[in-house]
Amino acid sequence: MISLRQVSFSYSDTPVLHHIDLVVEKGEMVALLGPNGSGKTTVIKLLSGVLRPTAGEVHLDGSILSRLKRREVAQRVAVVPQQFSMPFAFTLREVVLLGRTPFHSLFSDGGQRDHRVVQQAIERIGIAALKERFFNELSGGERQKAILAMTLAQEPKILLLDEPTAHLDINHQVEILDLVKRLNREQGVTVIGAMHDLNMAALYFDRLLLLKEGRIFADGTPEKVLTAETIKEVFSASVQVTQHPITKSPHVIIAPGEAPPE
Amino acid sequence: MFTRLKQNHRVLVLVVLGAILLLCLLIVPAFGGEPISPLDIVKVALNKLGLTNFSLSPAWEARNHESILFQIRLPRVVAGALVGAALAAAGVLFQGLLRNPMADPYIIGTSAGAAFGATIAMMLPISIAFLSFGLVSIAAFFGALGAVLLVYNLARVGGKTPIVSMLLAGFAVSAMLTAILFFMVTLSGRPGLLQNVFSFLMGSISVSGWNQIIIVAPLIIGGIVAARFLAFRLNALSLGEEGAAYLGINVERDKLTILALGSLLTGAAVCISGLVGFVGLVVPHAVRLVLGPDHRLLLPAAALSGGAFLVIADLFARTMLYPREIPLGILTAIIGAPFFIYLLRRTRREYAF
């Protein structure tokens, strides 16, 4: 279980989050939605512990996150960011191996178990054929899969995603989110993801959290959260919400220019 | 072109590089104004280890080879190996930390600081020695560390020290110190000062006997061993500060540790040799091109290669125009640059580093 209790956060003098209360239980799959600047990414960074709340506390399995060591947190919580750049020619396998870092120490920085876990992670993501290729020569989608395999090698209980599909083609978006969903369903990994695409979020996530100006505006199932009214309120955009023909989840339809009269 | 090594081959690579370095240490002292038979050197080495009791060639006794070898040549060669290893290891540390292919041990002010300290020492009308180091060496060592400390503090804002700020502050401090240095030299008018400053900037191995080595060797070897323990954190830092933090790295603490270690290694090298360029930039790159960027292998491999490289460069420096010595920095560039370009051309990759 991971939770924010009355968490506020400011970047120097600019307040970003105001008194957020949020509890995510083990095995949940939660999407954070909201316009740019609404605080999605900040929530992810607070949950991962790389940012500390200006006020309030983040709790991880009963401990206060900021009192844990960085590596203790990283043994339980992994983060898939939008993109990583690599200054050196690491191979895909070497990048995945970096996921073992939280389990290394000054006097033990690698062993047989690492290689087994890395191999499994690579196979689970289905990128075994690419493993000796250079990370920097992979396509955006392949890189994101490599990073997902890296976080898998971290054997996390909680997986945080920071717009993981932001710059990807739709086939890769679907593949990445399919993989994440399988991790959630099969391994019970808790997933919390900042998402840009409302429809993707509705398709893959069980619980949506709509942020507006640093506050939680709506929290619940996709049906409850994604309505024309809430979207109008939060994004100032006029949309229609229909049903996805296959999954029956809500589907947001955007019309160009001015919205047609109701 | 170069395929990556299997785990068990990595130990082999280090053993081979270690053997090459050892071979350099044994063979290179043979050359010089008074040639010594390499065979004699190997025999003496084995005899001293108590393994054998070979008899040596007549010249050994007659021409005083024992003291030439042990009092002059060997200290110089060992000093060269230490300087090369220290600079190469420091280069790996700085390139890894700054994620910048142009980074070398001198990038954030150590060189300017050392030169500044050394120049002031040269201008002082006093001559003292501490632990057998002259004032110039001592001033260079503390100049290097002082400059890094200044850069680190200038770049530090609100408990964080962003890499880019560190690079920029390093650039500014270097420019400032170098300008003041040459201003002092210009004003001073002291005969020979410019010559001395120039030789410091171009580098040369200068040790007298073993006294300085006994002090510097533990610092350098200890520094390299300590750096090897940090290798997995350098790997994680390749993902950038945020990525490394996600992997459980205490980024600010490790940045400071790596910076301190790299500066200490550089300072220790500089106080024996002045500013020898190119080794700390190119040896890490060359080794990375061949062996890959994993710091757990890269760091020790670069240190061993850097040691061997500098021993050979120094051999040319002291013998090519004998009895004149060529500044070491000239040779490291003349030998190193073509080799590096060759490696770069062979591995036609977009992200060669």
Side-chain angles (χ1 to χ4, degrees), chain A residues 92 95-96 125-127 129-130 133-149 168 172 175-176:
Chain A
L92 185 151
V95 169
V96 177
I125 303 297
I127 45 177
L130 304 172
R133 294 264 306 277
F134 291 110
F135 180 79
N136 285 328
E137 291 175 351
L138 300 173
S139 73
E142 289 166 339
R143 279 189 212 187
Q144 207 58 341
K145 283 190 215 169
I147 294 299
L148 194 58
L168 303 183
H172 286 123
E175 277 181 285
I176 294 281

Side-chain angles (χ1 to χ4, degrees), chain B residues 118-119 121-124 136 181-182 184-201:
Chain B
T119 307
M122 289 170 196
M123 291 172 70
L124 290 177
V136 171
L181 181 169
F182 282 110
M184 290 190 308
V185 174
T186 312
L187 284 189
S188 128
R190 180 188 272 263
L193 180 62
L194 189 59
Q195 182 70 44
N196 288 342
V197 171
F198 177 76
S199 0
F200 182 88
L201 293 178

Side-chain angles (χ1 to χ4, degrees), chain A residues 112-154:
Chain A
Q112 285 309 309
R113 181 171 150 70
D114 285 352
H115 290 283
R116 217 172 41 244
V117 174
V118 164
Q119 186 60 30
Q120 280 169 2
I122 287 173
E123 279 165 14
R124 188 177 290 272
I125 303 297
I127 45 177
L130 304 172
K131 72 178 178 181
E132 298 305 326
R133 294 264 306 277
F134 291 110
F135 180 79
N136 285 328
E137 291 175 351
L138 300 173
S139 73
E142 289 166 339
R143 279 189 212 187
Q144 207 58 341
K145 283 190 215 169
I147 294 299
L148 194 58
M150 180 185 94
T151 54
L152 218 56
Q154 225 172 315

Side-chain angles (χ1 to χ4, degrees), chain B residues 338-352:
Chain B
F339 176 65
F340 183 56
I341 290 167
Y342 161 76
L343 278 179
L344 213 51
R345 302 282 303 167
R346 267 186 65 153
T347 46
R348 288 164 195 280
R349 278 192 234 127
E350 195 183 344
Y351 292 89

